[in-house]
Amino acid sequence: MTTARTPSVGAGGNGDGDWAGLSTRERILRAASTLFATRGYGGTSTREIATLVDIRQPSLFHHFPSKASIAEALLDHSLGRVAEPVAQLARDGGSAAARLYGYVYFDTRFLATSPYDLAGLYSDDILNAPELADWRRRLDTLHDAIADLVRQGIDGGEFVPIDPDFAQRVISGLNLITISMHHGQSAAWAAQFADDVATFALRGLIAALSDLPRARRDGAAIADRLGHATV
Amino acid sequence: MTTARTPSVGAGGNGDGDWAGLSTRERILRAASTLFATRGYGGTSTREIATLVDIRQPSLFHHFPSKASIAEALLDHSLGRVAEPVAQLARDGGSAAARLYGYVYFDTRFLATSPYDLAGLYSDDILNAPELADWRRRLDTLHDAIADLVRQGIDGGEFVPIDPDFAQRVISGLNLITISMHHGQSAAWAAQFADDVATFALRGLIAALSDLPRARRDGAAIADRLGHATV
DNA sequence: GTCTATAACTTGATAGAC
DNA sequence: GTCTATCAAGTTATAGAC
């Protein structure tokens, strides 16, 4: 006695956002990102994801070959397009303060407009999984580039003496704060917020506050260039 | 301004070497904290904890009635002794900059000397668990007190205008960075590091950098008082 | 593309011997 | 206080009907 299920509901309203018109794959990504953020990767089951999407659990596997591949798609969306351009930025010459502003602005604006809640993706509990080792390596590359940028700023006298590893963690922490406070924001709002965050980051690092306006102006151009970089 | 280069953490080895003489209960707490930090709460099984302690999995339940109670013991150790004194601190009068320095210094020094790797305890994946709702509430209390302190600093003109909620997240992020970079450090080293971190926090918030030496001096006294507060 | 059914396995926790 | 043995429930993932 197989009772036919009506797959489309529409009235449910899972409180999150309105997913009308989105593909199932896209709804899976958004549901998974929310659950990863609130319950962790290990604490999220594929059943919970499926329930939020309003399909049955095995139907997920038509769109993604494994649970880890859902996380990989989200990592590709966020980390995939920033790691290499920033590594290049750290090799470019010029003011380290302006380049750091440029990176923070660029990444903050991107994360604040992302439709996904990526907070759960950048914790050890997910990146230590063996099948995501490649993504862990790419995140390490990004972190190295940021620490290198800080080191250049210290060596050039633009920044106060500070442990570059500590500073890198603070900057990466700003990204996580951005993610958890705001996602899915409008472009205009995100641009304002990105300036606030990048300015705040520089205030903590810069030796002479009188250098800030210049770093902000030059950094805005660098952020713009990052946005157009071919990855 | 002597932000020192960083030594590595002593408790890196999962071996039983540095656990000689510790009670089984204590070894469970240390093993669990390490695993919660690296694999998340949901991603850590009681079998993994037991393996690291070198006992069988059911033996854990002689020392703790549930997996969640292990997390609770770690939360009690860290959050338990700081939430109320800091809430009181936010109600005290005086310089907000000095009080904020005092809190950050106090908490950083405590976390850097803790034998546990508490990084995994302060993420949503664990604090959203229903059985830990009381601890979530206490953490919210701490966060409210910090945001309130920031708000007082802005209203009094000591701090630059900034979103108090954003500033609170940055300060709490500094705690997480401290936890993940250093634990099990010596008291002397931790005191130096705590000054570095608290000074860094104030640099980002304070309106006039010339106020920093006074806030640091007065804040050191406040941190000392927090250390002697009866909880 | 989604479903039902289920395989193969891991999970937290309990019972009871020693 | 630790063990062996085990349970009920939950896990990811597959098979095959429609």
Side-chain angles (χ1 to χ4, degrees), chain B residues 133-180:
Chain B
D134 195 52
W135 290 103
R136 154 66 71 179
R137 197 179 44 73
R138 294 178 81 168
L139 183 61
D140 288 342
T141 299
L142 175 61
H143 288 173
D144 289 348
I146 296 169
D148 195 31
L149 224 33
V150 172
R151 209 171 285 112
Q152 292 175 40
I154 297 167
D155 291 347
E158 286 186 288
F159 293 160
V160 295
I162 191 173
D163 178 357
D165 189 35
F166 176 79
Q168 175 266 305
R169 287 169 193 252
V170 172
I171 290 162
S172 298
L174 293 178
N175 286 347
L176 287 178
I177 290 169
T178 295
I179 288 170
S180 65

Side-chain angles (χ1 to χ4, degrees), chain A residues 101 105 108 190-200 216:
Chain A
Y101 177 98
Y105 182 97
T108 300
Q192 171 67 56
F193 184 71
D195 177 49
D196 288 345
V197 173
T199 300
F200 176 83
R216 248 177 103 205

Side-chain angles (χ1 to χ4, degrees), chain B:
Chain B
M1 303 268 175
T2 49
T3 308
R5 266 319 305 216
T6 59
S8 55
V9 169
N14 36 4
D16 2 312
D18 32 1
W19 291 354
L22 294 178
S23 68
T24 302
R25 184 193 153 89
E26 187 59 29
R27 298 210 313 273
I28 290 170
L29 288 173
R30 298 197 184 192
S33 79
T34 299
L35 287 167
F36 290 165
T38 53
R39 315 172 82 88
Y41 177 74
T44 299
S45 70
T46 54
R47 276 179 173 79
E48 287 176 295
I49 299 171
T51 298
L52 208 53
V53 176
D54 198 30
I55 58 177
R56 301 305 148 251
Q57 180 259 351
S59 303
L60 286 179
F61 292 85
H62 177 78
H63 302 273
F64 295 93
S66 67
K67 180 185 172 185
S69 71
I70 300 176
E72 281 191 273
L74 291 167
L75 285 165
D76 186 42
H77 162 80
S78 51
L79 183 56
R81 70 174 68 187
V82 81
E84 279 83 6
V86 174
Q88 178 56 48
L89 188 67
R91 286 188 293 267
D92 292 346
S95 160
R99 283 180 286 158
L100 195 66
Y101 177 98
Y103 158 67
V104 175
Y105 182 97
F106 170 71
D107 216 4
T108 301
R109 189 180 51 182
F110 173 80
L111 293 171
T113 55
S114 168
Y116 309 116
D117 185 346
L118 300 160
L121 285 175
Y122 295 97
S123 55
D124 286 333
D125 93 317
I126 183 167
L127 286 160
N128 282 340
E131 61 267 42
L132 299 177
D134 195 52
W135 290 103
R136 154 66 71 179
R137 197 179 44 73
R138 294 178 81 168
L139 183 61
D140 288 342
T141 299
L142 175 61
H143 288 173
D144 289 348
I146 296 169
D148 195 31
L149 224 33
V150 172
R151 209 171 285 112
Q152 292 175 40
I154 297 167
D155 291 347
E158 286 186 288
F159 293 160
V160 295
I162 191 173
D163 178 357
D165 189 35
F166 176 79
Q168 175 266 305
R169 287 169 193 252
V170 172
I171 290 162
S172 298
L174 293 178
N175 286 347
L176 287 178
I177 290 169
T178 295
I179 288 170
S180 65
M181 287 182 85
H182 314 289
H183 53 102
Q185 300 288 341
S186 75
W189 191 92
Q192 169 68 57
F193 184 71
D195 177 49
D196 288 343
V197 173
T199 300
F200 176 83
L202 279 195
R203 272 187 62 87
L205 295 175
I206 216 160
L209 282 180
S210 55
D211 271 2
L212 230 168
R214 176 196 55 76
R216 250 177 100 203
R217 192 180 58 244
D218 296 350
I222 289 169
D224 213 49
R225 229 184 302 139
L226 276 173
H228 295 123
T230 45
V231 186

Side-chain angles (χ1 to χ4, degrees), chain A residues 36-53:
Chain A
F36 291 166
T38 52
R39 315 173 81 88
Y41 176 74
T44 299
S45 71
T46 53
R47 270 179 173 75
E48 288 175 295
I49 299 170
T51 298
L52 208 53
V53 176

Side-chain angles (χ1 to χ4, degrees), chain A residues 121-154:
Chain A
L121 285 175
Y122 295 96
S123 57
D124 286 333
D125 94 314
I126 182 168
L127 287 160
N128 282 338
E131 61 268 42
L132 298 176
D134 194 52
W135 290 103
R136 155 66 69 179
R137 196 178 45 71
R138 293 178 83 168
L139 183 61
D140 288 343
T141 299
L142 175 61
H143 288 172
D144 288 348
I146 296 168
D148 195 31
L149 224 33
V150 172
R151 208 171 285 112
Q152 292 174 39
I154 298 167

